Amino acid sequence: MVVRMIKIPDFPIEGGCACGAVRYRLAQPPLALVECHCADCQKVTGSSFSLGMPVMADAFELIKGELALWHRTGESGHRIPQRICGHCGTRLYSEPPSGAATLTARGGTLDDTSWLKPVAAIWTDSAQPGQDFSNVELTYPRQPEDFGQIIAKWRDYIAA
């Protein structure tokens, strides 16, 4: 079991796209931080996984630029709205198909990523060969039905 506490920065914090055309501010800490190893995240990042950071939608403020909309169809068949920079294509966040009060911001788009320590890895069945999950406490072979345990673990992590 991995046990470590992290110090999160003082909020609000900011982030943006690769080209600088889009900037955003987060008013409060994320609800969790998760590595997603699904094939779609591998494709859209051109990497082994993406860092999903569920946040309350009303805590996310676009402060510069405009976002383009692209729909990705998940394995479930649901169309998942993706908000990207129309200039450079950086994916800033995804919206749940259900229209919930949260969105999943991409951790790598924050200005300061030094504090990002995922508590869970999901879709590990799709992970690239050689991925090491010893850095996370929770692993899920596919999409978890309930994120409650992940959120609780994250709260433990950031408690100082």
Side-chain angles (χ1 to χ4, degrees):
M1 180 167 90
V2 178
V3 177
R4 61 179 175 210
M5 301 290 199
I6 59 171
K7 169 129 176 50
I8 63 171
D10 293 330
F11 281 74
I13 61 174
E14 294 185 5
C17 67
C19 74
V22 174
R23 299 286 302 155
Y24 68 88
R25 180 176 297 127
L26 282 181
Q28 55 191 242
L31 302 171
L33 184 64
V34 177
E35 295 176 2
C36 182
H37 293 266
C38 77
D40 287 341
C41 280
Q42 291 175 39
K43 275 268 196 230
V44 299
T45 63
S47 184
S48 296
F49 61 91
S50 70
L51 286 176
M53 197 170 54
V55 299
M56 297 305 297
D58 61 2
F60 186 97
E61 177 189 4
L62 189 64
I63 56 177
K64 178 185 171 191
E66 294 183 25
L67 294 171
L69 174 63
W70 167 65
H71 284 92
R72 175 178 66 79
T73 301
E75 188 173 301
S76 64
H78 292 119
R79 288 173 38 97
I80 304 166
Q82 310 288 299
R83 299 297 176 159
I84 63 174
C85 172
H87 296 282
C88 67
T90 300
R91 183 172 60 151
L92 284 297
Y93 66 86
S94 303
E95 299 171 21
S98 63
T102 62
L103 54 87
T104 302
R106 301 296 156 205
T109 65
L110 291 171
D111 293 342
D112 175 12
T113 60
S114 66
W115 59 279
L116 297 179
K117 307 284 190 265
V119 296
I122 63 175
W123 288 93
T124 58
D125 280 358
S126 303
Q128 291 292 316
Q131 289 295 299
D132 177 8
F133 300 113
S134 64
N135 62 327
V136 295
E137 291 194 44
L138 304 170
T139 57
Y140 299 85
R142 297 180 62 80
Q143 183 75 12
E145 289 190 27
D146 179 5
F147 272 76
Q149 185 179 17
I150 296 171
I151 291 169
K153 185 58 66 178
W154 176 255
R155 285 183 185 145
D156 289 347
Y157 249 30
I158 63 175

